[in-house]
Amino acid sequence: MYNVYRIREDFPILKTTINGKPLIYLDNSATTQKPAVVIDTICEYYKQYNANIHRSVHYLGVKATEIYEKVRGDIAKFINAPNSNCIVFTKGATESINLVAYGWGRKFLKEGDEILITLMEHHSNIVPWQMLSIEKGIKIKFVPLNDDGSLNLTAFKELLTERTKLVSITHVSNVLGIINPIKEIIDTSHKAGAIVLIDGAQSVPSIPIDVQNLDADFLVFSAHKMLGPTGIGILYGKEDLLEEMDPLLGGGDMIKKVTKDYSVWADIPYKFEGGTQNIAGVIGFGKAIEYLNNLGLEHIYKHEKTLVSYTLKRLLNIDGIKIYGPTTENLRLNIISFNYKDIHPHDVATILDREGIAIRAGHQCAQPLHSYLGISASCRASFYLYNTEEEVDKFIEALEKVNMVFKNGNRRTI
Ligand code: 7TS
């Protein structure tokens, strides 16, 4: 039985008050809060067995290494990777995409090759390709959207040609909350001879993912969006792709041998993990994965769907709310972006903050999507496993207060 009130007890920050009001945290797509077990596990590492990994025979070094490598295995299981060699620890989804751009793209792409991305990508899945295109003369094409914000699959198929070497696409849009049909996209891309990178930053925290069943070539995600600490993320890659990729950072721990003239890289995944890693981050992430496994992603997914459905219904009853993306909950996950009349999103967010409610306002790191929508900014409420319908009610009440404040003009333009 999923008991959200019991779950909330595990998150110390949810007892905080902001401006004298209980915190209502609806900015989960930016980062999620952390349960006490994750925070305590990180403290335990520093207090009880802090040591560097992969190098020391002493007790602390061995213990830290064992736990670090166990987490790699737990993450492999979490996404059903064939083995833990396919799991590379990075700083986050952004670094993982950059690692593919430079480790794979720089080595294998040449002038005239094409990369297909979409109009709903986060900047992390746009800018690295633009940087690579300056260097290599490759072309980036954007798959357009349908009127409801969903991906235009007909256009996708038309844009996919023999020149397309990589399709890099988000599973869930961080603005529209739309869940893209990635299995179909992967199958179609493979038939055209392209490999596929799935940006799972917004989906892996809530949707059970099986990389083998999907036949995904690369999957990237960040720990901090799924109860884990900041500064740690994952690049999953098929073993043969990781084998042929170049490392990005040369240094300690990523080599088998170093001579004055040349070096021999370590095997995967270690050749990508040069330098002392974020050991505490990995260990904390391991605890977050354990916490999510105990709750069951399928229950978390269901909880988010119920909340989004409830919020959509309530928002649609407010005069002057413009919701971006589909208004039917079956097409979206835990994210709702909107504008309210012509009130600037920063004003909406500031007034909500006075009520203790945290939402995001701005371009949400998706400027091409905002340009397509004809706006420069939006408000975004995003939910996670600890949010409740009562919090949604407070959020709706607070929006009514926003309306009262701006009733008599005093508006910036969006
Ligand atoms: N991809 C998507 C779809 C994202 O939503 C984000 C972060 C990233 C990649 C990058 O993740 P990072 O952990 O490397 O920063 N999204 C957001 C957001 O929507 N608000 O703040 C961060």
Side-chain angles (χ1 to χ4, degrees):
M1 197 32 200
Y2 192 92
N3 184 342
V4 68
Y5 304 102
R6 223 246 6 96
I7 290 167
R8 290 175 66 82
E9 294 294 315
D10 295 337
F11 291 79
I13 206 169
L14 297 181
K15 296 189 175 71
T16 310
T17 52
I18 307 286
N19 297 320
K21 310 273 170 59
L23 166 68
I24 296 180
Y25 186 75
L26 303 181
D27 196 14
N28 292 287
S29 293
T31 197
T32 62
Q33 299 303 343
K34 322 300 172 199
V37 284
V38 168
I39 301 164
D40 293 346
T41 297
I42 294 168
C43 289
E44 227 169 72
Y45 161 68
Y46 283 123
K47 283 184 180 168
Q48 295 174 16
Y49 58 98
N50 174 52
N52 213 329
I53 50 166
H54 298 152
R55 64 198 72 194
S56 309
V57 293
H58 56 71
Y59 175 85
L60 299 184
V62 171
K63 181 164 179 184
T65 303
E66 275 173 8
I67 298 182
Y68 182 92
E69 289 304 330
K70 182 185 175 299
V71 173
R72 199 190 300 276
D74 292 345
I75 289 165
K77 276 193 210 107
F78 190 72
I79 56 169
N80 195 32
N83 61 61
S84 51
N85 291 341
C86 309
I87 304 296
V88 180
F89 289 118
T90 64
K91 198 150 66 74
T94 303
E95 186 179 298
S96 301
I97 296 173
N98 278 272
L99 182 50
V100 175
Y102 292 106
W104 180 83
R106 186 183 267 160
K107 188 168 181 186
F108 294 110
L109 295 179
K110 53 186 187 322
E111 194 167 350
D113 285 344
E114 292 178 2
I115 292 180
L116 213 51
I117 61 176
T118 82
L119 255 189
M120 65 170 86
E121 299 309 318
H122 185 277
H123 294 163
S124 298
N125 196 24
I126 300 174
V127 184
W129 307 119
Q130 288 174 337
M131 290 164 76
L132 190 67
S133 89
I134 295 167
E135 189 179 316
K136 303 286 295 186
I138 54 173
K139 195 164 176 183
I140 302 164
K141 287 187 166 171
F142 286 79
V143 180
L145 310 184
N146 296 315
D147 288 345
D148 67 353
S150 60
L151 208 61
N152 185 332
L153 291 174
T154 312
F156 163 67
K157 285 171 191 155
E158 283 165 10
L159 287 168
L160 196 61
T161 70
E162 71 282 358
R163 288 187 300 281
T164 316
K165 296 294 180 285
L166 172 76
V167 175
S168 192
I169 179 170
T170 192
H171 188 181
V172 169
S173 157
N174 71 314
V175 176
L176 305 170
I178 281 175
I179 308 171
N180 285 318
I182 48 163
K183 176 78 182 138
E184 186 183 345
I185 287 164
I186 291 171
D187 289 348
T188 314
S189 305
H190 283 169
K191 279 188 195 123
I195 64 166
V196 184
L197 183 153
I198 300 295
D199 177 353
Q202 297 295 348
S203 63
V204 176
S206 308
I207 301 179
I209 303 257
D210 179 334
V211 285
Q212 293 188 76
N213 176 265
L214 285 172
D215 201 18
D217 299 293
F218 294 112
L219 171 75
V220 306
F221 53 103
S222 295
H224 71 94
K225 292 187 197 289
M226 47 197 296
L227 311 182
T230 50
I232 191 78
I234 300 296
L235 168 65
Y236 159 80
K238 282 183 179 163
E239 267 184 289
D240 55 337
L241 287 167
L242 292 179
E243 295 279 8
E244 64 186 16
M245 267 168 66
D246 281 339
L248 203 57
L249 292 179
D253 215 26
M254 53 75 71
I255 41 82
K256 266 187 190 149
K257 176 181 175 177
V258 180
T259 71
K260 276 165 73 188
D261 304 317
Y262 70 93
S263 299
V264 180
W265 315 147
D267 293 331
I268 61 163
Y270 307 107
K271 75 171 177 184
F272 300 110
E273 295 177 8
T276 297
Q277 295 296 295
N278 181 355
I279 304 163
V282 169
I283 292 171
F285 191 17
K287 197 43 107 176
I289 294 280
E290 186 184 310
Y291 188 94
L292 292 172
N293 280 335
N294 286 342
L295 279 186
L297 272 194
E298 63 285 5
H299 300 298
I300 296 167
Y301 178 77
K302 211 167 135 214
H303 177 72
E304 288 177 11
K305 283 290 214 182
T306 310
L307 270 184
V308 155
S309 162
Y310 180 70
T311 313
L312 278 174
K313 265 190 218 112
R314 298 236 32 205
L315 277 174
L316 286 168
N317 278 331
I318 302 179
D319 196 27
I321 290 277
K322 163 82 184 149
I323 293 174
Y324 302 103
T327 47
T328 43
E329 74 274 7
N330 60 331
L331 281 174
R332 61 160 80 228
L333 196 59
N334 52 342
I335 299 165
I336 302 177
S337 291
F338 62 94
N339 268 309
Y340 191 15
K341 301 191 171 169
D342 57 355
I343 307 169
H344 196 283
H346 284 164
D347 291 332
V348 176
T350 304
I351 295 170
L352 292 191
D353 183 55
R354 281 190 218 151
E355 302 299 315
I357 302 171
I359 64 161
R360 176 140 184 218
H363 55 58
Q364 336 280 10
C365 298
Q367 285 183 345
L369 175 60
H370 278 74
S371 302
Y372 165 78
L373 294 170
I375 50 177
S376 58
S378 56
C379 305
R380 181 183 69 187
S382 51
F383 307 93
Y384 204 37
L385 50 90
Y386 36 67
N387 291 119
T388 65
E389 289 194 356
E390 290 79 5
E391 289 183 317
V392 174
D393 291 339
K394 293 255 166 55
F395 162 62
I396 300 289
E397 274 169 35
L399 282 176
E400 279 152 18
K401 287 192 185 161
V402 172
N403 188 34
M404 293 306 287
V405 171
F406 284 92
K407 225 171 181 168
N408 306 313
N410 193 20
R411 285 173 189 168
R412 296 189 240 167
T413 45
I414 293 164

